[in-house]
């Protein structure tokens, strides 16, 4: 094939329309990334797959976590609302699978959904909504997203393409259980069956996951808070600074 998708970063050519429509740009982009990996002294990656694949180009590849500033308030005692409040945060593009999230919420009672973000699919997604249970908030500032996470119960992600989403880490720090597809490096962020449940992309699997979490909401929520501590920016920065110091 003309575009060998040899690493996760190169897979942008598969997942983004810009590269699909501009083959020459995509080809040049891949070769530039390949050259850059070979020429650099140290590479930090976020997931095991990238770690293994980038080693083909550079032996000095170090895996680190994404990091967040953890909230000062403790959310170990987060209580779910009635009706249950689901939250989606992200770009409204086809690869995010938001239409199936909407179908799941529309078909169940006592569930509400807030959709934060904007994108080319917004008009289509709004056309699917038949009730007042679903609200579109558009693109929000970080502080506003934080407030949505505090006021919501479960974060739902349904993407077919992801890396290690910061949104998941941030949501966990606010005590939110996670419903998500198992793509990219997501399995390195959450613990399925403990603070998260999988969806295969269908509305029915989202409903099933939601019902499992509701049976032990407090347990899932507390586990999310504890897992989020692994991504404290202070811990992650110490690892990065130590490796740079050794290199220097």
């Amino acid at each position: 094939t003309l575009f060998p998708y040899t690493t996760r970063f190169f897979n942008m050519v598969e997942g983004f329309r810009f590269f699909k429509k501009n083959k020459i740009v995509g080809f040049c982009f891949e070769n530039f990334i390949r050259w850059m990996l070979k020429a650099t002294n140290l590479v930090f990656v976020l997931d095991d797959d990238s770690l293994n694949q980038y080693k083909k180009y550079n032996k000095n590849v170090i895996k680190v976590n994404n990091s967040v500033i953890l909230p000062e308030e403790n959310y170990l005692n987060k209580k779910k609302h009635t009706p249950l409040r689901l939250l989606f945060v992200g770009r409204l593009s086809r690869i995010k699978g938001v239409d199936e999230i909407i179908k799941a919420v529309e078909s169940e009672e006592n569930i509400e959904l807030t959709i934060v973000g904007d994108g080319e699919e917004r008009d289509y997604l709004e056309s699917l909504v038949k009730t007042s249970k679903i609200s579109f908030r558009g693109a929000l500032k970080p502080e506003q997203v934080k407030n949505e996470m505090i006021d919501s119960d479960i974060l739902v992600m349904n993407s077919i393409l992801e890396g290690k989403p910061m949104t998941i880490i941030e949501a966990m720090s606010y005590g939110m259980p996670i419903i998500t597809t198992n793509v990219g490096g997501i399995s390195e962020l959450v613990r399925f069956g403990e603070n998260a449940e999988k969806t295969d992309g269908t509305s029915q699997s989202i409903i099933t996951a939601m019902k499992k979490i509701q049976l032990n909401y407090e347990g899932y929520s507390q586990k999310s808070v504890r897992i989020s501590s692994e991504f404290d920016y202070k811990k992650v920065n110490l690892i990065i600074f130590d490796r740079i110091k050794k290199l220097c």
Side-chain angles (χ1 to χ4, degrees), residues 1-15 18-20 22-38 54 57:
T1 179
L2 181 61
F3 298 97
Y5 305 123
T6 52
T7 73
R8 184 181 304 284
F9 197 20
F10 298 151
N11 283 350
M12 289 175 67
V13 178
E14 286 184 301
F18 173 78
F19 292 119
K20 287 184 178 181
N22 297 270
K23 300 297 185 181
I24 295 176
V25 174
F27 177 78
C28 293
F29 171 80
E30 283 199 345
N31 280 280
F32 169 73
I33 296 301
R34 190 175 288 110
W35 168 83
M36 187 170 62
L37 286 170
K38 292 178 179 178
Y54 280 24
Y57 304 96

Side-chain angles (χ1 to χ4, degrees), residues 51-100:
L51 176 68
N52 294 328
Q53 295 195 45
Y54 280 24
K55 283 183 177 179
K56 299 174 185 177
Y57 304 96
N58 193 311
K59 65 179 180 179
N60 295 317
V61 182
I62 309 300
K63 178 188 169 185
V64 295
N65 282 321
N66 260 331
S67 62
V68 296
I69 299 175
L70 299 178
E72 294 182 5
E73 187 175 346
N74 189 320
Y75 288 91
L76 279 172
N77 297 315
K78 188 181 181 80
K79 303 297 182 183
K80 66 183 177 71
H81 298 85
T82 302
L84 189 72
R85 299 177 183 176
L86 303 187
L87 176 68
F88 169 85
V89 179
R91 181 164 181 80
L92 304 185
S93 60
R94 184 164 297 182
I95 66 170
K96 297 295 186 178
V98 184
D99 54 343
E100 292 295 321

